Amino acid sequence: MKIERTIQVAVAENCALGESPVWDDQQRCLHFVDILSNKIYTYWPDDETSQVTQLDEMVGAIVPTKNLGFLAALPSGIYRLNLPGGTPQILVQPEPGNLENRFNDGKADSSGRLWIATMAQSEQQGLGNMYVVYPDLTFKMVLEKTTISNGLDWSEDDKYFYHVESDDAQIRRFDYEKLQGGILGKTTVVEFPDEEGVPDGMTIDSEGMLWVAHFGGGCVTRRDPSNGEILEKIELPVKQVTSCVFGGEDLNDLYITTASKGLSDSELAYQPQAGYTFVIKNLPFTGRPANKFG
C-alpha cells in the first residue's frame, strides 16, 4: 500500500549525510546529525526553528542519556554533551588507536546500554565491529567484521534484535539476550533487490513493524519482520534516504533524513532537496520513545 500523505520539509539544509534522527521528548524537538559536516541539528517543530551544534570531528550517531544529555559517537571515541550547543567530554573509546574507522549507527537498549558499530571510513569490507557499552563504561564486542552497520532496534518484548548490514543489503534478526546484552543466532528477514536501493537507518513502530530507509531507492517502507512483506511505502522527492524516527507529541509524525553526498550537478538539479530532513505528520501509526543510556 502506498501512503498518500503530505510530505513536508522540516529542515531545508542540503546535508551531505543526514543520519541518526532522535526525538527528544524533554525539549519537544528533533536532533539529527550530518556526519560528513561534523554537525548536529536541533529542530523545534512548534516554531519551525533550528540550531546547529558544530563539532571538530564527524559524528556518526547521537543517543539520549538518562541525565538529559546525549552521547555523540566521534571517530576518537564516545563523548557526552548537552544539546544544542554543548561541549563534548570523552567517556570511552572501544577501538583506541584505530582512526581509520569511524562510528556509524547506534542506539540504547531498554536496559540503558549503548549499541554502536564502527566502519572503515573507506567503506572497505569487513573492517567494522559492533560493541555494547555498559553504563559503567565497560564494553564488549558483539559482532565482528561488519562493513556498513546501519539500522538497529529491538522488538517490543525484547525477544529479538534487528540489524541492517547495508553492504549486502540485508536485515537480520538475532535472538536477544537481555540480561547481559548479547545476541545469538542469525536469520535474514529481508533481502533488498538492486531496484529497491540499499537498506539504511531503521525504526520499529508500536505494532512491531520495521520502518526502513532505502538509500538510493527514494522511499521508506514499513515491513513485517516475520516475512519481509512491504505493508506501506512512502516515496520521497530525493533518492538517498538515510533514516527515520517517529516524533511529535503522540509519536505519530515520521521524520526522515536524507543525503546529498556523491550526487552530480545534474542529479542535484533533478533533486534539489537532497539532504533535506522531511516529516509526514499524523500517520495512523505510532513509534516508541527512545531508549536512554545510563
Side-chain angles (χ1 to χ4, degrees):
M1 179 188 302
K2 181 179 177 181
I3 298 177
E4 296 293 345
R5 295 277 174 172
T6 301
I7 299 171
Q8 302 175 42
V9 172
V11 180
E13 293 284 345
N14 295 106
C15 291
L17 187 54
E19 269 283 8
S20 192
V22 178
W23 178 255
D24 185 333
D25 54 4
Q26 298 294 318
Q27 299 188 69
R28 296 169 55 90
C29 64
L30 179 79
H31 307 284
F32 64 95
V33 308
D34 183 355
I35 296 176
L36 301 182
S37 298
N38 308 351
K39 293 176 179 178
I40 304 174
Y41 286 85
T42 300
Y43 168 71
W44 289 271
D46 287 349
D47 60 7
E48 299 182 346
T49 60
S50 61
Q51 182 174 338
V52 176
T53 301
Q54 181 71 56
L55 302 180
D56 295 330
E57 300 179 71
M58 289 186 289
V59 51
I62 49 174
V63 175
T65 68
K66 291 182 179 178
N67 62 2
L68 304 184
F70 278 79
L71 301 181
L74 311 181
S76 59
I78 308 297
Y79 290 74
R80 185 194 178 280
L81 81 166
N82 293 321
L83 289 176
T87 300
Q89 299 174 318
I90 185 70
L91 296 179
V92 64
Q93 169 55 294
E95 291 189 350
N98 185 5
L99 293 183
E100 299 301 313
N101 276 6
R102 69 167 176 85
F103 289 100
N104 204 40
D105 216 345
K107 287 181 181 176
D109 65 17
S110 62
S111 298
R113 298 173 290 235
L114 171 68
W115 291 61
I116 189 79
T118 60
M119 60 175 283
Q121 296 193 44
S122 65
E123 300 187 4
Q124 185 175 340
Q125 289 185 322
L127 297 184
N129 305 289
M130 179 176 285
Y131 299 90
V132 175
V133 180
Y134 294 85
D136 65 0
L137 302 182
T138 59
F139 58 88
K140 68 178 181 181
M141 185 189 297
V142 289
L143 282 177
E144 62 178 345
K145 297 181 179 179
T146 57
T147 301
I148 305 177
S149 178
N150 260 311
L152 64 159
D153 216 327
W154 294 261
S155 60
E156 181 72 26
D157 58 6
D158 275 336
K159 184 177 180 180
Y160 298 119
F161 171 72
Y162 295 97
H163 174 243
V164 170
E165 173 55 77
S166 294
D167 184 59
D168 58 15
Q170 294 186 0
I171 302 176
R172 298 183 176 96
R173 182 184 69 225
F174 296 82
D175 294 325
Y176 177 56
E177 199 284 298
K178 181 178 179 178
L179 184 62
Q180 297 297 325
I183 49 178
L184 301 169
K186 181 172 66 176
T187 302
T188 298
V189 295
V190 186
E191 293 187 72
F192 288 69
D194 290 344
E195 61 270 20
E196 289 188 7
V198 174
D200 200 326
M202 178 176 68
T203 192
I204 295 182
D205 66 26
S206 59
E207 298 176 13
M209 299 297 107
L210 311 179
W211 290 76
V212 188
H214 292 232
F215 190 93
C219 67
V220 171
T221 56
R222 183 180 191 244
R223 292 179 179 261
D224 185 336
S226 68
N227 56 22
E229 178 186 356
I230 296 177
L231 305 175
E232 314 281 351
K233 183 177 183 180
I234 297 175
E235 294 183 351
L236 279 295
V238 298
K239 298 295 287 184
Q240 296 183 160
V241 185
T242 56
S243 194
C244 56
V245 72
F246 285 95
E249 184 175 354
D250 298 318
L251 292 179
N252 64 345
D253 299 336
L254 187 70
Y255 288 91
I256 302 169
T257 54
T258 70
S260 62
K261 73 161 191 167
L263 296 177
S264 66
D265 290 343
S266 60
E267 288 171 323
L268 286 170
Y270 177 72
Q271 44 183 317
Q273 294 177 319
Y276 280 22
T277 299
F278 299 90
V279 62
I280 299 95
K281 295 185 176 180
N282 299 315
L283 285 170
F285 311 99
T286 57
R288 304 179 300 184
N291 293 325
K292 298 178 180 179
F293 175 80

mmCIF file with all atom_site columns, all heavy atoms in Angstrom, residues 226-242:
data_model
loop_
_atom_site.group_PDB
_atom_site.id
_atom_site.type_symbol
_atom_site.label_atom_id
_atom_site.label_alt_id
_atom_site.label_comp_id
_atom_site.label_asym_id
_atom_site.label_entity_id
_atom_site.label_seq_id
_atom_site.pdbx_PDB_ins_code
_atom_site.Cartn_x
_atom_site.Cartn_y
_atom_site.Cartn_z
_atom_site.occupancy
_atom_site.B_iso_or_equiv
_atom_site.pdbx_formal_charge
_atom_site.auth_seq_id
_atom_site.auth_comp_id
_atom_site.auth_asym_id
_atom_site.auth_atom_id
_atom_site.pdbx_PDB_model_num
ATOM 1   N N   . SER A 1 226 ? 8.239  -10.713 10.123 1.00 0.00 ? 226 SER A N   1
ATOM 2   C CA  . SER A 1 226 ? 8.037  -12.169 10.084 1.00 0.00 ? 226 SER A CA  1
ATOM 3   C C   . SER A 1 226 ? 8.209  -12.741 8.692  1.00 0.00 ? 226 SER A C   1
ATOM 4   O O   . SER A 1 226 ? 8.542  -13.918 8.524  1.00 0.00 ? 226 SER A O   1
ATOM 5   C CB  . SER A 1 226 ? 6.654  -12.538 10.628 1.00 0.00 ? 226 SER A CB  1
ATOM 6   O OG  . SER A 1 226 ? 5.624  -12.093 9.757  1.00 0.00 ? 226 SER A OG  1
ATOM 7   N N   . ASN A 1 227 ? 7.990  -11.891 7.672  1.00 0.00 ? 227 ASN A N   1
ATOM 8   C CA  . ASN A 1 227 ? 8.089  -12.402 6.301  1.00 0.00 ? 227 ASN A CA  1
ATOM 9   C C   . ASN A 1 227 ? 8.706  -11.406 5.317  1.00 0.00 ? 227 ASN A C   1
ATOM 10  O O   . ASN A 1 227 ? 8.859  -11.734 4.132  1.00 0.00 ? 227 ASN A O   1
ATOM 11  C CB  . ASN A 1 227 ? 6.710  -12.838 5.795  1.00 0.00 ? 227 ASN A CB  1
ATOM 12  C CG  . ASN A 1 227 ? 5.672  -11.729 5.881  1.00 0.00 ? 227 ASN A CG  1
ATOM 13  O OD1 . ASN A 1 227 ? 6.008  -10.543 5.927  1.00 0.00 ? 227 ASN A OD1 1
ATOM 14  N ND2 . ASN A 1 227 ? 4.395  -12.103 5.934  1.00 0.00 ? 227 ASN A ND2 1
ATOM 15  N N   . GLY A 1 228 ? 9.051  -10.216 5.780  1.00 0.00 ? 228 GLY A N   1
ATOM 16  C CA  . GLY A 1 228 ? 9.660  -9.218  4.911  1.00 0.00 ? 228 GLY A CA  1
ATOM 17  C C   . GLY A 1 228 ? 8.691  -8.475  4.017  1.00 0.00 ? 228 GLY A C   1
ATOM 18  O O   . GLY A 1 228 ? 9.103  -7.611  3.231  1.00 0.00 ? 228 GLY A O   1
ATOM 19  N N   . GLU A 1 229 ? 7.397  -8.744  4.132  1.00 0.00 ? 229 GLU A N   1
ATOM 20  C CA  . GLU A 1 229 ? 6.401  -8.132  3.246  1.00 0.00 ? 229 GLU A CA  1
ATOM 21  C C   . GLU A 1 229 ? 6.347  -6.619  3.441  1.00 0.00 ? 229 GLU A C   1
ATOM 22  O O   . GLU A 1 229 ? 6.382  -6.115  4.560  1.00 0.00 ? 229 GLU A O   1
ATOM 23  C CB  . GLU A 1 229 ? 5.026  -8.732  3.524  1.00 0.00 ? 229 GLU A CB  1
ATOM 24  C CG  . GLU A 1 229 ? 3.903  -8.128  2.686  1.00 0.00 ? 229 GLU A CG  1
ATOM 25  C CD  . GLU A 1 229 ? 2.529  -8.642  3.085  1.00 0.00 ? 229 GLU A CD  1
ATOM 26  O OE1 . GLU A 1 229 ? 2.447  -9.529  3.958  1.00 0.00 ? 229 GLU A OE1 1
ATOM 27  O OE2 . GLU A 1 229 ? 1.538  -8.129  2.523  1.00 0.00 ? 229 GLU A OE2 1
ATOM 28  N N   . ILE A 1 230 ? 6.244  -5.907  2.314  1.00 0.00 ? 230 ILE A N   1
ATOM 29  C CA  . ILE A 1 230 ? 6.062  -4.451  2.358  1.00 0.00 ? 230 ILE A CA  1
ATOM 30  C C   . ILE A 1 230 ? 4.594  -4.150  2.645  1.00 0.00 ? 230 ILE A C   1
ATOM 31  O O   . ILE A 1 230 ? 3.715  -4.520  1.872  1.00 0.00 ? 230 ILE A O   1
ATOM 32  C CB  . ILE A 1 230 ? 6.496  -3.792  1.042  1.00 0.00 ? 230 ILE A CB  1
ATOM 33  C CG1 . ILE A 1 230 ? 7.995  -3.988  0.819  1.00 0.00 ? 230 ILE A CG1 1
ATOM 34  C CG2 . ILE A 1 230 ? 6.165  -2.299  1.057  1.00 0.00 ? 230 ILE A CG2 1
ATOM 35  C CD1 . ILE A 1 230 ? 8.497  -3.434  -0.496 1.00 0.00 ? 230 ILE A CD1 1
ATOM 36  N N   . LEU A 1 231 ? 4.340  -3.468  3.759  1.00 0.00 ? 231 LEU A N   1
ATOM 37  C CA  . LEU A 1 231 ? 2.978  -3.132  4.166  1.00 0.00 ? 231 LEU A CA  1
ATOM 38  C C   . LEU A 1 231 ? 2.592  -1.724  3.741  1.00 0.00 ? 231 LEU A C   1
ATOM 39  O O   . LEU A 1 231 ? 1.427  -1.466  3.447  1.00 0.00 ? 231 LEU A O   1
ATOM 40  C CB  . LEU A 1 231 ? 2.844  -3.269  5.683  1.00 0.00 ? 231 LEU A CB  1
ATOM 41  C CG  . LEU A 1 231 ? 3.245  -4.624  6.274  1.00 0.00 ? 231 LEU A CG  1
ATOM 42  C CD1 . LEU A 1 231 ? 3.175  -4.577  7.793  1.00 0.00 ? 231 LEU A CD1 1
ATOM 43  C CD2 . LEU A 1 231 ? 2.355  -5.737  5.734  1.00 0.00 ? 231 LEU A CD2 1
ATOM 44  N N   . GLU A 1 232 ? 3.554  -0.807  3.750  1.00 0.00 ? 232 GLU A N   1
ATOM 45  C CA  . GLU A 1 232 ? 3.320  0.585   3.371  1.00 0.00 ? 232 GLU A CA  1
ATOM 46  C C   . GLU A 1 232 ? 4.571  1.099   2.688  1.00 0.00 ? 232 GLU A C   1
ATOM 47  O O   . GLU A 1 232 ? 5.680  0.603   2.920  1.00 0.00 ? 232 GLU A O   1
ATOM 48  C CB  . GLU A 1 232 ? 3.024  1.474   4.589  1.00 0.00 ? 232 GLU A CB  1
ATOM 49  C CG  . GLU A 1 232 ? 2.032  0.923   5.588  1.00 0.00 ? 232 GLU A CG  1
ATOM 50  C CD  . GLU A 1 232 ? 0.589  1.077   5.154  1.00 0.00 ? 232 GLU A CD  1
ATOM 51  O OE1 . GLU A 1 232 ? 0.358  1.774   4.141  1.00 0.00 ? 232 GLU A OE1 1
ATOM 52  O OE2 . GLU A 1 232 ? -0.291 0.520   5.822  1.00 0.00 ? 232 GLU A OE2 1
ATOM 53  N N   . LYS A 1 233 ? 4.397  2.132   1.872  1.00 0.00 ? 233 LYS A N   1
ATOM 54  C CA  . LYS A 1 233 ? 5.541  2.743   1.196  1.00 0.00 ? 233 LYS A CA  1
ATOM 55  C C   . LYS A 1 233 ? 5.339  4.250   1.113  1.00 0.00 ? 233 LYS A C   1
ATOM 56  O O   . LYS A 1 233 ? 4.278  4.723   0.708  1.00 0.00 ? 233 LYS A O   1
ATOM 57  C CB  . LYS A 1 233 ? 5.707  2.162   -0.207 1.00 0.00 ? 233 LYS A CB  1
ATOM 58  C CG  . LYS A 1 233 ? 6.922  2.676   -0.965 1.00 0.00 ? 233 LYS A CG  1
ATOM 59  C CD  . LYS A 1 233 ? 7.042  1.971   -2.315 1.00 0.00 ? 233 LYS A CD  1
ATOM 60  C CE  . LYS A 1 233 ? 8.281  2.411   -3.078 1.00 0.00 ? 233 LYS A CE  1
ATOM 61  N NZ  . LYS A 1 233 ? 8.392  1.718   -4.386 1.00 0.00 ? 233 LYS A NZ  1
ATOM 62  N N   . ILE A 1 234 ? 6.346  4.992   1.537  1.00 0.00 ? 234 ILE A N   1
ATOM 63  C CA  . ILE A 1 234 ? 6.339  6.450   1.440  1.00 0.00 ? 234 ILE A CA  1
ATOM 64  C C   . ILE A 1 234 ? 7.455  6.856   0.483  1.00 0.00 ? 234 ILE A C   1
ATOM 65  O O   . ILE A 1 234 ? 8.633  6.603   0.756  1.00 0.00 ? 234 ILE A O   1
ATOM 66  C CB  . ILE A 1 234 ? 6.556  7.115   2.805  1.00 0.00 ? 234 ILE A CB  1
ATOM 67  C CG1 . ILE A 1 234 ? 5.409  6.776   3.751  1.00 0.00 ? 234 ILE A CG1 1
ATOM 68  C CG2 . ILE A 1 234 ? 6.686  8.627   2.660  1.00 0.00 ? 234 ILE A CG2 1
ATOM 69  C CD1 . ILE A 1 234 ? 5.598  7.294   5.163  1.00 0.00 ? 234 ILE A CD1 1
ATOM 70  N N   . GLU A 1 235 ? 7.089  7.468   -0.635 1.00 0.00 ? 235 GLU A N   1
ATOM 71  C CA  . GLU A 1 235 ? 8.083  7.898   -1.608 1.00 0.00 ? 235 GLU A CA  1
ATOM 72  C C   . GLU A 1 235 ? 8.497  9.334   -1.327 1.00 0.00 ? 235 GLU A C   1
ATOM 73  O O   . GLU A 1 235 ? 7.661  10.191  -1.032 1.00 0.00 ? 235 GLU A O   1
ATOM 74  C CB  . GLU A 1 235 ? 7.524  7.754   -3.025 1.00 0.00 ? 235 GLU A CB  1
ATOM 75  C CG  . GLU A 1 235 ? 7.277  6.292   -3.403 1.00 0.00 ? 235 GLU A CG  1
ATOM 76  C CD  . GLU A 1 235 ? 6.786  6.130   -4.823 1.00 0.00 ? 235 GLU A CD  1
ATOM 77  O OE1 . GLU A 1 235 ? 6.462  7.163   -5.466 1.00 0.00 ? 235 GLU A OE1 1
ATOM 78  O OE2 . GLU A 1 235 ? 6.718  4.977   -5.294 1.00 0.00 ? 235 GLU A OE2 1
ATOM 79  N N   . LEU A 1 236 ? 9.793  9.597   -1.429 1.00 0.00 ? 236 LEU A N   1
ATOM 80  C CA  . LEU A 1 236 ? 10.376 10.907  -1.171 1.00 0.00 ? 236 LEU A CA  1
ATOM 81  C C   . LEU A 1 236 ? 10.798 11.567  -2.484 1.00 0.00 ? 236 LEU A C   1
ATOM 82  O O   . LEU A 1 236 ? 11.023 10.876  -3.479 1.00 0.00 ? 236 LEU A O   1
ATOM 83  C CB  . LEU A 1 236 ? 11.594 10.771  -0.253 1.00 0.00 ? 236 LEU A CB  1
ATOM 84  C CG  . LEU A 1 236 ? 11.401 10.641  1.270  1.00 0.00 ? 236 LEU A CG  1
ATOM 85  C CD1 . LEU A 1 236 ? 10.790 11.900  1.839  1.00 0.00 ? 236 LEU A CD1 1
ATOM 86  C CD2 . LEU A 1 236 ? 10.587 9.421   1.633  1.00 0.00 ? 236 LEU A CD2 1
ATOM 87  N N   . PRO A 1 237 ? 10.948 12.901  -2.488 1.00 0.00 ? 237 PRO A N   1
ATOM 88  C CA  . PRO A 1 237 ? 11.396 13.599  -3.702 1.00 0.00 ? 237 PRO A CA  1
ATOM 89  C C   . PRO A 1 237 ? 12.911 13.545  -3.895 1.00 0.00 ? 237 PRO A C   1
ATOM 90  O O   . PRO A 1 237 ? 13.451 14.275  -4.723 1.00 0.00 ? 237 PRO A O   1
ATOM 91  C CB  . PRO A 1 237 ? 10.917 15.037  -3.467 1.00 0.00 ? 237 PRO A CB  1
ATOM 92  C CG  . PRO A 1 237 ? 10.948 15.186  -1.984 1.00 0.00 ? 237 PRO A CG  1
ATOM 93  C CD  . PRO A 1 237 ? 10.534 13.849  -1.436 1.00 0.00 ? 237 PRO A CD  1
ATOM 94  N N   . VAL A 1 238 ? 13.586 12.696  -3.136 1.00 0.00 ? 238 VAL A N   1
ATOM 95  C CA  . VAL A 1 238 ? 15.042 12.521  -3.233 1.00 0.00 ? 238 VAL A CA  1
ATOM 96  C C   . VAL A 1 238 ? 15.342 11.030  -3.183 1.00 0.00 ? 238 VAL A C   1
ATOM 97  O O   . VAL A 1 238 ? 14.543 10.238  -2.673 1.00 0.00 ? 238 VAL A O   1
ATOM 98  C CB  . VAL A 1 238 ? 15.778 13.256  -2.093 1.00 0.00 ? 238 VAL A CB  1
ATOM 99  C CG1 . VAL A 1 238 ? 15.519 14.757  -2.164 1.00 0.00 ? 238 VAL A CG1 1
ATOM 100 C CG2 . VAL A 1 238 ? 15.371 12.720  -0.733 1.00 0.00 ? 238 VAL A CG2 1
ATOM 101 N N   . LYS A 1 239 ? 16.500 10.644  -3.687 1.00 0.00 ? 239 LYS A N   1
ATOM 102 C CA  . LYS A 1 239 ? 16.820 9.224   -3.798 1.00 0.00 ? 239 LYS A CA  1
ATOM 103 C C   . LYS A 1 239 ? 17.544 8.655   -2.586 1.00 0.00 ? 239 LYS A C   1
ATOM 104 O O   . LYS A 1 239 ? 17.330 7.511   -2.200 1.00 0.00 ? 239 LYS A O   1
ATOM 105 C CB  . LYS A 1 239 ? 17.679 8.977   -5.049 1.00 0.00 ? 239 LYS A CB  1
ATOM 106 C CG  . LYS A 1 239 ? 16.999 9.336   -6.356 1.00 0.00 ? 239 LYS A CG  1
ATOM 107 C CD  . LYS A 1 239 ? 15.795 8.443   -6.638 1.00 0.00 ? 239 LYS A CD  1
ATOM 108 C CE  . LYS A 1 239 ? 16.211 7.031   -7.038 1.00 0.00 ? 239 LYS A CE  1
ATOM 109 N NZ  . LYS A 1 239 ? 15.041 6.211   -7.403 1.00 0.00 ? 239 LYS A NZ  1
ATOM 110 N N   . GLN A 1 240 ? 18.424 9.450   -1.978 1.00 0.00 ? 240 GLN A N   1
ATOM 111 C CA  . GLN A 1 240 ? 19.289 8.916   -0.932 1.00 0.00 ? 240 GLN A CA  1
ATOM 112 C C   . GLN A 1 240 ? 18.645 9.135   0.448  1.00 0.00 ? 240 GLN A C   1
ATOM 113 O O   . GLN A 1 240 ? 18.970 10.075  1.164  1.00 0.00 ? 240 GLN A O   1
ATOM 114 C CB  . GLN A 1 240 ? 20.676 9.553   -1.031 1.00 0.00 ? 240 GLN A CB  1
ATOM 115 C CG  . GLN A 1 240 ? 21.364 9.181   -2.340 1.00 0.00 ? 240 GLN A CG  1
ATOM 116 C CD  . GLN A 1 240 ? 22.770 9.711   -2.482 1.00 0.00 ? 240 GLN A CD  1
ATOM 117 O OE1 . GLN A 1 240 ? 23.550 9.208   -3.278 1.00 0.00 ? 240 GLN A OE1 1
ATOM 118 N NE2 . GLN A 1 240 ? 23.135 10.739  -1.734 1.00 0.00 ? 240 GLN A NE2 1
ATOM 119 N N   . VAL A 1 241 ? 17.766 8.236   0.811  1.00 0.00 ? 241 VAL A N   1
ATOM 120 C CA  . VAL A 1 241 ? 17.040 8.302   2.081  1.00 0.00 ? 241 VAL A CA  1
ATOM 121 C C   . VAL A 1 241 ? 17.841 7.512   3.112  1.00 0.00 ? 241 VAL A C   1
ATOM 122 O O   . VAL A 1 241 ? 18.212 6.354   2.874  1.00 0.00 ? 241 VAL A O   1
ATOM 123 C CB  . VAL A 1 241 ? 15.619 7.737   1.920  1.00 0.00 ? 241 VAL A CB  1
ATOM 124 C CG1 . VAL A 1 241 ? 14.819 7.916   3.196  1.00 0.00 ? 241 VAL A CG1 1
ATOM 125 C CG2 . VAL A 1 241 ? 14.912 8.421   0.751  1.00 0.00 ? 241 VAL A CG2 1
ATOM 126 N N   . THR A 1 242 ? 18.104 8.128   4.266  1.00 0.00 ? 242 THR A N   1
ATOM 127 C CA  . THR A 1 242 ? 19.090 7.546   5.182  1.00 0.00 ? 242 THR A CA  1
ATOM 128 C C   . THR A 1 242 ? 18.530 6.968   6.477  1.00 0.00 ? 242 THR A C   1
ATOM 129 O O   . THR A 1 242 ? 19.039 5.968   6.977  1.00 0.00 ? 242 THR A O   1
ATOM 130 C CB  . THR A 1 242 ? 20.143 8.599   5.551  1.00 0.00 ? 242 THR A CB  1
ATOM 131 O OG1 . THR A 1 242 ? 19.486 9.752   6.107  1.00 0.00 ? 242 THR A OG1 1
ATOM 132 C CG2 . THR A 1 242 ? 20.956 9.009   4.328  1.00 0.00 ? 242 THR A CG2 1
#
